[in-house]
Amino acid sequence: MKLKTSKKIVSLLIVAMLGISVAACSNKEADKPKEEKTQQTESKDEKSVTTKDEYTYDNNEYLTSISWLEKNMKDNKNLVIIDARSDKDYAKGHIPGAVNVAWQGLSKMEGKAGDKDWGTLQGEEDLSKTIGALGISKDSQVVVYANKDAWGEDGRVTWSLKRAGVDARMLNGGFDLWSSEKKETTKDVPEVKPVEMTVSEIKPDMNISTDDLKKEYKDLKIIDTRAKDEYEGAVNFGEARGGHLPDAINVPFTELYNEDGTLKNKDEIVKIIEKAGIKKEDSIATYCTAGIRSAHMALALKNAGFENVRNYDSSFYEWAADESNEVVK
């Protein structure tokens, strides 16, 4: 493919990604329920807050630190930084070199919310084109960041890339911590150089489909990662019905955050989940409205040692739209 043509394709892809706006798990401040915004403050245990000296996620399989990123962002040629926030937030300032990529850009967006497979991960062929156009190759190390007062978009993008076989991890503390530490930011948009990328397999062990969820239902511990009001029946994003999946346990994903935007340490997360009646050896499925917050929690739980956890990316949109599926309040 000629360079001119490649640049045109990359531009179109990025514009499309930035232009997509979806109500569920979106970045739009106006769409967020007030309860979601305050959930962390209300549920925070002042006696079990990870301190700055306890940043233990220094570039492992799921997370990396701002110190690691700052040391590697200039000299690591394999590093790709993704800003998963809204295009408006990105335009106000971002980490140097970061490319703005919405979760929707890696997902199937044909049709409308609630349609079968709407909002789920793209297939191998489409993902190969999308990821390659972003300059991500099999040798890339990808760091994804967002804001804590959003919907876990960094988790969804990281989850999407990891399913495609990409070495991706979330930036612990995200843009909140980066900004509070007064690290360098810019408004410059980097030039993206496309690469050849082939996604040969979508990893099946990080996701569960509606059909498999039904087949395995009695053997699963199901976590509803939405805010309490959504769990109890609030319809905030055009869901077909309000409520939650039968026997689902409500653990809002914000409960895993510290005030500074970092994740609580592993012991604290284990304590929160075990208090909800879920053990490390359980088979776990997480869900939210469109598989965004639940993707974030799935990665956070895996990082804390819950090995058998899958994200239900069809989530409540698809479940509630099918009248044959039971919904309870």
Side-chain angles (χ1 to χ4, degrees):
M1 180 182 291
K2 294 182 179 179
L3 182 59
K4 184 175 181 180
T5 304
S6 298
K7 287 184 176 180
K8 183 176 180 181
I9 292 174
V10 172
S11 299
L12 289 173
L13 275 169
I14 294 177
V15 168
M17 291 176 194
L18 300 182
I20 298 172
S21 176
V22 182
C25 301
S26 71
N27 287 305
K28 292 183 179 179
E29 291 293 328
D31 288 343
K32 296 178 189 174
K34 293 181 180 179
E35 190 155 351
E36 182 79 2
K37 292 182 180 179
T38 59
Q39 182 68 42
Q40 180 179 342
T41 302
E42 295 173 353
S43 65
K44 182 178 175 182
D45 182 351
E46 296 292 346
K47 296 181 180 179
S48 63
V49 176
T50 305
T51 67
K52 185 176 178 181
D53 295 332
E54 291 178 309
Y55 292 157
T56 56
Y57 308 127
D58 197 15
N59 206 40
N60 66 16
E61 186 178 356
Y62 301 102
L63 293 149
T64 197
S65 64
I66 61 171
S67 60
W68 184 93
L69 180 58
E70 191 173 36
K71 291 175 184 177
N72 284 268
M73 59 192 301
K74 292 183 179 179
D75 299 325
N76 188 341
K77 295 181 179 179
N78 292 325
L79 180 65
V80 177
I81 306 172
I82 291 180
D83 185 318
R85 300 176 302 156
S86 71
D87 55 343
K88 291 182 180 179
D89 286 338
Y90 177 80
K92 293 176 183 177
H94 50 267
I95 296 176
V99 179
N100 192 205
V101 181
W103 68 269
Q104 296 97 326
L106 299 165
S107 306
K108 301 173 184 175
M109 304 307 298
E110 298 82 7
K112 63 182 187 302
D115 290 348
K116 184 172 176 56
D117 294 331
W118 180 93
T120 61
L121 189 64
Q122 293 175 355
E124 288 93 340
E125 184 176 351
D126 288 336
L127 268 182
S128 296
K129 295 176 181 177
T130 301
I131 293 174
L134 294 169
I136 299 173
S137 70
K138 290 186 179 296
D139 296 324
S140 295
Q141 289 182 294
V142 182
V143 174
V144 188
Y145 69 88
N147 290 331
K148 70 181 178 68
D149 290 328
W151 300 99
E153 291 92 343
D154 51 340
R156 172 59 185 247
V157 171
T158 300
W159 172 87
S160 298
L161 293 174
K162 293 181 84 66
R163 288 200 69 201
V166 175
D167 178 10
R169 72 289 311 272
M170 298 179 286
L171 180 63
N172 192 27
F175 196 73
D176 299 271
L177 186 60
W178 186 271
S179 299
S180 68
E181 293 287 326
K182 301 187 184 306
K183 303 298 183 182
E184 181 184 0
T185 62
T186 183
K187 293 183 180 180
D188 296 337
V189 178
E191 179 182 358
V192 178
K193 297 180 179 179
V195 298
E196 290 294 328
M197 177 64 175
T198 300
V199 178
S200 56
E201 178 190 21
I202 304 296
K203 293 184 179 180
D205 60 342
M206 297 176 67
N207 189 66
I208 187 167
S209 66
T210 300
D211 290 341
D212 287 339
L213 181 69
K214 291 179 178 180
K215 290 176 183 177
E216 302 177 35
Y217 209 97
K218 62 182 178 60
D219 298 319
L220 294 170
K221 287 294 181 68
I222 301 175
I223 302 178
D224 185 321
T225 68
R226 301 174 300 164
K228 183 180 179 182
D229 68 327
E230 295 174 86
Y231 178 80
E232 293 178 344
V235 179
N236 298 324
F237 307 107
E239 303 93 326
R241 292 178 285 168
H244 57 268
L245 274 64
D247 300 320
I249 301 167
N250 187 213
V251 183
F253 90 109
T254 50
E255 288 194 9
L256 306 189
Y257 276 115
N258 292 307
E259 189 65 30
D260 62 2
T262 56
L263 278 177
K264 292 182 180 295
N265 66 38
K266 294 180 180 180
D267 290 340
E268 290 166 340
I269 290 175
V270 170
K271 182 178 179 180
I272 290 169
I273 301 304
E274 288 186 341
K275 185 178 180 180
I278 302 165
K279 301 178 181 179
K280 282 188 175 182
E281 58 267 27
D282 287 333
S283 182
I284 303 168
T286 60
Y287 79 90
C288 61
T289 313
I292 317 306
R293 291 170 279 183
S294 53
H296 189 286
M297 181 174 279
L299 296 184
L301 294 189
K302 280 183 172 291
N303 182 68
F306 293 82
E307 295 294 336
N308 192 11
V309 54
R310 289 169 286 173
N311 177 36
Y312 175 35
D313 66 347
S314 294
S315 266
F316 196 69
Y317 261 145
E318 183 172 312
W319 184 272
D322 186 344
E323 291 290 340
S324 68
N325 295 329
E326 184 181 2
V327 171
V328 297
K329 295 182 180 179

